[in-house]
Amino acid sequence: MGNLTGKEVAQMHKDYVMQSWSKSGVDALPVEKAKGIYFWDYDGKKYADMASLLVCSNLGHELPEIVEAIKEQADKMCFMAPAYASEPKSKLAKMLVEAAGADHFKRVFFTNGGAESNENAIKMARMVTGRTKVFSCYRSYHGATLGASNASGDWRRFAAEIGGANGFVKFMNPQMYRDGYTYGVDDEVVTKKALADLDLQLRYEGPQNVAAILMESIVGANGVILPPKGYMEGVRKLCDKYGILMICDEVMAGFFRTGKWFAWQNFDFVPDMITFAKGVTCGYVQLGGVIVNKKVADYFEENVLQCGLTYSGHTLACAAGVAALTYYKEHNIEQHVAEMHEIVAPFMQKMVEKHKCVGEARCIGLFGALEMVKNKETREPLQEYGVPGTAMPWIFAELKKRGFATFGRENFIEVCPPLIITKEELEEYLPILDEVLTMADEKFCD
Ligand SMILES: Cc1ncc(COP(=O)(O)O)c(C=O)c1O
């Protein structure tokens, strides 16, 4: 390792790697090293990781506490099979149940990442209820395996729909900027209408056939969409009314991204299952899983859990997880996120007031997105959903040129820095966003 030049790394990537969500043979930035909130390319150019890569590097890069825990575990035992108990797996399962709330939650099934977490939660819901259908939102992403992909709402599900998978039903989850404020109505009106629509749709599908409603507690990769007040609680009530299990996908929003262990803890309800990944290890070793409540756990005390993965509860990954969760707790990341939010959220609001191209700023904890528009009056998106365009790629490229690395999609920019970012780092990098938005105003707005 370490004997190739940056050019060679990039060329071999271009020649041999199939890149996610991309045509093959595209250029990729070769990255040599990372530390804290930064990573560096082979020319020594430094980038601030303002999206925590794919909103997973919550504790930044190369955190000594996680690296040391991995090294220590690697020296002792890298991997032990699922049917054996290992200290990191036992410890992590207990820590996760406690973080979710041991009064409701009881056990954890470990997977290798987010998609598998949702996949297995869906299987469990079907086994527990004996029902087939799974309701999920159009404005959502749940992963790229067959079931998780079919549950996802955005266009990334289309390839998985070619062969199909049984029983996936979509409903439209509200977005206030588009469904509420555009029409001059408030949260209460939107919530009431959205819940009535969902109830009706459930009745048309036959609620006795619905195993689960799977939702991101706060939609992430479709633009940090904050649910209108009362909406999630209303969905919970519908689940109770019809004996449906509620699965909250916390893959992106979990582990203090929103300021709490889990994003649903910002609201007034409790799900039946929580799916997680990303922030559980911050990507140092890949890991995911499902935390289940007593009802689901008890079912599998009487019935065989027909879920299994060679690497379920992978020892090295769980050791990274124990180190990450310990760090969140011992360094009071909750408090730090609350303090940094007080810098990021007002800055994002200022961007709305200052720039023609920013329609709305949404931010909870350090989970933020700017909604981009061509015209503030009409709220015409800078780039229409599902239509390839050049405006957003131009913005991301200009940000990257200036050392501000982030991502987004058709019409939003994610602002999700590592949770350990400091005031000084924010003050250094946020003005870059301001600068590029000024250029975007000129270039793209009416
Ligand atoms: C909410 C959510 N669920 C599931 C996934 C899929 O996770 P993975 O890519 O680890 O399979 C993602 C990935 O971004 C996600 O944001």
Side-chain angles (χ1 to χ4, degrees):
M1 290 291 187
N3 56 0
L4 297 180
T5 64
K7 262 200 180 124
E8 288 168 331
V9 171
Q11 190 59 50
M12 284 163 74
H13 177 100
K14 197 169 173 168
D15 292 343
Y16 296 109
V17 175
M18 297 177 88
Q19 193 172 305
S20 305
W21 310 118
S22 178
K23 289 180 183 166
S24 291
V26 291
D27 290 316
L29 178 74
V31 177
E32 189 177 23
K33 59 180 184 175
K35 179 84 191 158
I37 70 151
Y38 304 106
F39 58 83
W40 285 262
D41 68 18
Y42 279 72
D43 296 326
K45 184 171 161 60
K46 181 165 96 169
Y47 300 84
D49 179 10
M50 298 302 279
S52 307
L53 297 182
L54 297 177
V55 198
C56 56
S57 308
N58 287 7
L59 295 174
H61 305 281
E62 299 302 299
L63 190 77
E65 285 83 346
I66 304 182
V67 173
E68 281 312 311
I70 293 169
K71 283 183 180 166
E72 209 178 290
Q73 188 59 46
D75 279 342
K76 210 191 289 177
M77 176 171 73
C78 283
F79 173 57
M80 188 41 58
Y84 295 93
S86 73
E87 183 175 331
K89 180 169 56 180
S90 301
K91 262 192 185 164
L92 185 59
K94 182 166 187 281
M95 289 170 97
L96 286 162
V97 166
E98 284 169 1
D103 40 346
H104 288 281
F105 294 94
K106 194 167 169 187
R107 292 183 186 277
V108 181
F109 177 73
F110 287 108
T111 69
N112 298 296
E116 281 183 355
S117 305
N118 289 317
E119 200 81 39
N120 284 284
I122 290 167
K123 276 178 71 177
M124 285 187 220
R126 286 177 167 176
M127 286 185 266
V128 170
T129 61
R131 302 172 178 183
T132 306
K133 292 187 186 180
V134 174
F135 268 55
S136 57
C137 303
Y138 277 109
R139 291 172 173 133
S140 78
Y141 179 68
H142 296 293
T145 52
L146 189 64
S149 225
N150 271 276
S152 296
D154 73 36
W155 58 263
R156 287 175 286 182
R157 79 176 187 279
F158 295 154
E161 281 182 336
I162 292 172
N166 223 5
F168 289 89
V169 181
K170 298 289 172 313
F171 63 101
M172 191 53 93
N173 44 330
Q175 179 185 10
M176 285 307 294
Y177 185 69
R178 299 266 161 228
D179 308 329
Y181 307 140
T182 306
Y183 304 104
V185 291
D186 62 14
D187 284 41
E188 201 180 321
V189 174
V190 172
T191 292
K192 202 168 160 197
K193 166 91 170 64
L195 291 174
D197 288 349
L198 178 57
D199 194 353
L200 187 62
Q201 197 183 349
L202 283 165
R203 280 182 279 139
Y204 268 90
E205 290 292 336
Q208 73 281 3
N209 303 319
V210 181
I213 297 183
L214 165 64
M215 297 178 77
E216 292 175 75
S217 310
I218 293 175
V219 172
N222 280 272
V224 187
I225 302 171
L226 303 172
K229 210 159 171 278
Y231 180 67
M232 297 301 286
E233 291 83 353
V235 174
R236 171 77 265 184
K237 281 193 188 126
L238 286 175
C239 288
D240 291 340
K241 179 172 160 188
Y242 295 122
I244 296 167
L245 293 172
M246 185 171 185
I247 307 170
C248 275
D249 180 340
E250 291 274 345
V251 169
M252 191 178 269
F255 303 102
F256 295 102
R257 176 55 55 192
T258 69
K260 307 264 189 203
W261 274 112
F262 298 105
W264 61 263
Q265 291 165 338
N266 290 288
F267 308 111
D268 192 15
F269 76 97
V270 184
D272 296 297
M273 290 193 245
I274 302 164
T275 58
F276 65 90
K278 299 197 190 243
V280 67
T281 59
C282 302
Y284 286 60
V285 185
Q286 66 274 41
L287 183 70
V290 190
I291 308 170
V292 305
N293 71 358
K294 290 183 176 157
K295 177 183 169 166
V296 177
D298 289 350
Y299 176 88
F300 290 110
E301 281 166 23
E302 303 298 326
N303 299 274
V304 173
L305 175 69
Q306 295 185 50
C307 300
L309 297 159
T310 297
Y311 300 129
S312 176
H314 192 281
T315 323
L316 206 54
C318 287
V322 170
L325 265 65
T326 303
Y327 193 93
Y328 287 122
K329 265 204 282 195
E330 288 185 353
H331 291 77
N332 200 353
I333 293 297
E334 180 170 7
Q335 174 69 24
H336 186 69
V337 169
E339 285 166 18
M340 295 306 106
H341 174 86
E342 290 310 316
I343 299 171
V344 175
F347 169 84
M348 289 174 69
Q349 196 48 44
K350 206 170 109 195
M351 295 302 97
V352 179
E353 285 146 28
K354 182 170 174 186
H355 295 290
K356 288 194 278 186
C357 65
V358 184
E360 187 185 49
R362 299 184 285 271
C363 187
I364 177 166
L366 287 175
F367 204 17
L370 294 174
E371 175 98 13
M372 305 298 290
V373 289
K374 226 181 215 162
N375 183 311
K376 244 180 179 151
E377 292 298 308
T378 63
R379 303 190 179 198
E380 184 187 346
L382 192 55
Q383 210 172 297
E384 282 292 346
Y385 174 77
V387 181
T390 52
M392 294 305 294
W394 182 90
I395 290 171
F396 294 124
E398 288 300 320
L399 285 168
K400 206 169 189 180
K401 250 194 237 169
R402 290 163 178 75
F404 187 115
T406 188
F407 76 98
R409 298 246 307 285
E410 283 89 348
N411 57 352
F412 62 88
I413 302 172
E414 299 262 357
V415 184
C416 304
L419 308 181
I420 50 153
I421 198 165
T422 63
K423 179 173 181 285
E424 293 70 32
E425 287 165 336
L426 284 170
E427 284 168 358
E428 184 180 351
Y429 280 90
L430 288 177
I432 295 174
L433 186 53
D434 191 6
E435 184 189 332
V436 172
L437 293 172
T438 304
M439 292 158 66
D441 284 341
E442 286 307 305
K443 203 169 161 68
F444 301 115
C445 291
D446 298 339

